[in-house]
Amino acid sequence: MFILHVALQGCLRGRDVVYGLTADTGGHIRYLLDLVAASAQDSGIARIVVATRLFSGAPGPDYAVPEERLGDKATLVRLSSASPGYRTKEEMHAEVASFAESLIAWIAAQGRAPDLIHAHYADAAAVAEIVEDRLGIPFVFTAHSLGRVKASMLGEVAAGHPDLAGRIATEERALARATLVIASSRDEAEVQYAGYGAYDPGRVRVLPPGSDLARFADSRPDPRVDATIARFLHDPGKPVLLALARPVARKNLAALVRAYGESARLQARANLVLIAGTRQDIDALDGEMADTLRDLLVLIDRYDLYGRVAYPKTHRPEDVPALYAHARARGGLFVNPALNEPFGLTLLEASAAGLPLVATDSGGPNDIVETCGNGILVDPRRPEAIAAAALRILDDPAFHARCVAGGARAAAAYDWDRHAARYHALLRALRAPAPSLRAPRQLLICDIDNTLVGCEAALGIFRRWRSRQASLAFGVATGRSFHSAMAVLEQQDSPRPQVMITSVGSEIYHLDQNGVTYTADAAWREAVCAGWEREAVLAALAGLADLVPQGPLEQRTFKLSYFGDAAAAAQVRARLAQAGLRASVIHSHGRYLDVLPERASKGTAVDHVRALYGLPERAVFVAGDSGNDIEMLRARAQAIIVANYSDGLAGHAALQHSYVARASHARGIIEGVGHFRRMLAHAH
């Protein structure tokens, strides 16, 4: 397979990238180069090319070199466009048409055309659209950051950025045209993209970037790096609040300085170290970076933080592990206060180096902190929340230690080899779609967590068994969102479901003809919407002491999710009845509590799918393990309870008709299907 990446923004070169050299030379370049390096390890990838702009002038001569070797299979090519000099992302739209012509000419000169184009940022997607129209090469899209998110952060000030409207329109077209959209986090997939008219959740996949974290886990302090920081500080041995980010407005470093400057306790407890890009003269920087740095210096002066804040002018890429080690050696922590962080590679690096995190609750840090348990999420617009979180970590040694231990899991959770394997599987499937099952004779729907997955050996057996079931449609029903469920299934190499019943039955998605993307079931959405008064339910449940809302990403249009015990579930039902509100309350695993529209459940969703497939009741098998499967199991005659069940399922009065498997997890599913098939055979 031949993959062509297109990335126009920033100063891109194959090694020693000077991050922060311009406002657009940031994490997307690191992502792209690491992805290319990981892709090149796959023997099934024949060639990788990264196409970017050729320009000359102030950033340096390297960016005027037409071709640069990245490895045995990978090349960086620079192609000319209308303007000869560097262009910011705000100016890049003027280069799209001319760059596309150069790219089309370059492709024509190759012995073989690329199989797929991967466009990075919306301007590259605009190029890919032109290429697809002319040459028929499909493209996938990674946004990296989104104009609507920036507009939301700017508020009324957004009106003074006319380029934003054009950027958002380009992103709308990219979302509408791309064969597949690759997101780095659930927040990006489920919240950030949701603001676009062309948003189609079934065409978005969450593939967290990997990171080569070994050099950060093995990091050691460097006396030279320590000295560059110590010269700013009265007491350089104190714990460190470390921030490492380009000095641009959305990184929100000013809020961190305010948090520190307004907290006498935090100043007494720790030093603040700001690593904000590399500069010789502030006036020589891009306008936004120069303005941001001036703002930081004004705040440092206003709060009289001299001797407590370090802000070195330069650092080398190879210094970064030593910067983390400097903070670790002093019992410090890492702070990312960005208004929005699409993913957050520095968070993984800092965690691997042994630093707890205080991170923005907007974007990828949600996934990282949930996965690793390595810090505290905060509202980046509240400096007092940033200060309180930092003090909690600094003042609680046991919590500090738990965060450090959680960070050690980052390397396993965010691995480039795993990312590349999933990425390539998706690209190959797009190139050669598996034929769809047009007229299934049977349907199997099973829960995911602790039913389909949970035992690697059992899932391997299920995978082989499923490949032999020519007339069986396979689907899942889960409390997870579509993107969360899809990520788990692909990470575990599960067979791809024909149908995805997600968010405890409140959403249904069907596999498209290309065998990769999914389409939401609009008829089901309309059905569950009837009678659902979400805001009224929220208001009715407000103030229940034993009810704790789950994270923002678990709250859906047709699902409100809480933590609560059985007594809390009873209180919820009573409160809703008192308010005259009709809803379904699902309690599972002793602590998860979901409130849904009255018509929404896994059971009713399965029946909707059964009717779509035109199957009789006896042709449907369902399998589950916990309380949120009760509705589905109760509603189906051929219900399977796997041996590793919880919530007392086997003894539940409404489930006495179920088959309780002797085997656990996916083996139990196979055993149950076999049992009911034998019963059907005997009945005939």
Side-chain angles (χ1 to χ4, degrees), residues 309-371:
V309 178
Y311 41 96
K313 291 179 66 170
T314 62
H315 71 282
R316 303 177 306 198
E318 58 267 29
D319 293 338
V320 173
L323 289 166
Y324 296 133
H326 174 92
R328 181 190 65 223
R330 289 156 179 78
L333 53 98
F334 185 78
V335 187
N336 180 331
L339 292 170
N340 176 266
E341 186 60 68
F343 182 63
L345 284 174
T346 55
L347 296 175
L348 295 181
E349 295 170 355
S351 290
L355 292 176
L357 307 177
V358 173
T360 177
D361 64 0
S362 177
N366 284 282
D367 289 14
I368 292 172
V369 171
E370 178 186 359
T371 299

Side-chain angles (χ1 to χ4, degrees), residues 427-594:
L427 298 190
R428 289 184 180 111
L430 287 171
R431 285 183 63 224
S436 61
L437 187 61
R438 294 190 179 279
R441 294 201 296 271
Q442 292 182 322
L443 170 66
L444 166 64
I445 303 285
C446 59
D447 180 46
I448 296 178
D449 295 281
N450 297 311
T451 303
L452 179 64
V453 306
C455 174
E456 188 175 341
L459 184 57
I461 292 168
F462 182 88
R463 199 180 300 118
R464 293 188 290 275
W465 175 83
R466 168 75 186 110
S467 70
R468 300 191 296 270
Q469 309 301 309
S471 61
L472 177 72
F474 165 59
V476 295
T478 177
R480 291 177 178 270
S481 71
F482 170 82
H483 296 103
S484 175
M486 208 65 245
V488 169
L489 293 172
E490 291 179 350
Q491 286 165 0
Q492 300 288 328
D493 196 21
S494 162
R496 186 162 289 138
Q498 277 79 44
V499 61
M500 302 271 292
I501 296 170
T502 63
S503 298
V504 202
S506 60
E507 300 172 18
I508 301 176
Y509 297 86
H510 300 282
L511 186 63
D512 295 331
Q513 288 296 314
N514 64 19
V516 174
T517 60
Y518 286 77
T519 296
D521 191 317
W524 179 246
R525 181 183 178 91
E526 186 176 340
V528 301
C529 182
W532 173 237
E533 299 178 67
R534 188 180 191 276
E535 296 308 313
V537 170
L538 266 175
L541 300 183
L544 281 179
D546 297 328
L547 200 62
V548 178
Q550 293 182 33
L553 289 178
E554 304 312 320
Q555 314 305 328
R556 312 287 294 172
T557 303
F558 300 114
K559 178 173 77 75
L560 297 171
S561 294
Y562 300 89
F563 296 109
D565 57 17
Q571 288 180 320
V572 167
R573 292 187 179 97
R575 184 69 69 89
L576 293 175
Q578 183 181 359
L581 294 168
R582 298 162 62 184
S584 176
V585 179
I586 307 292
H587 189 246
S588 61
H589 296 290
R591 66 188 297 260
Y592 299 113
L593 198 155
D594 297 300

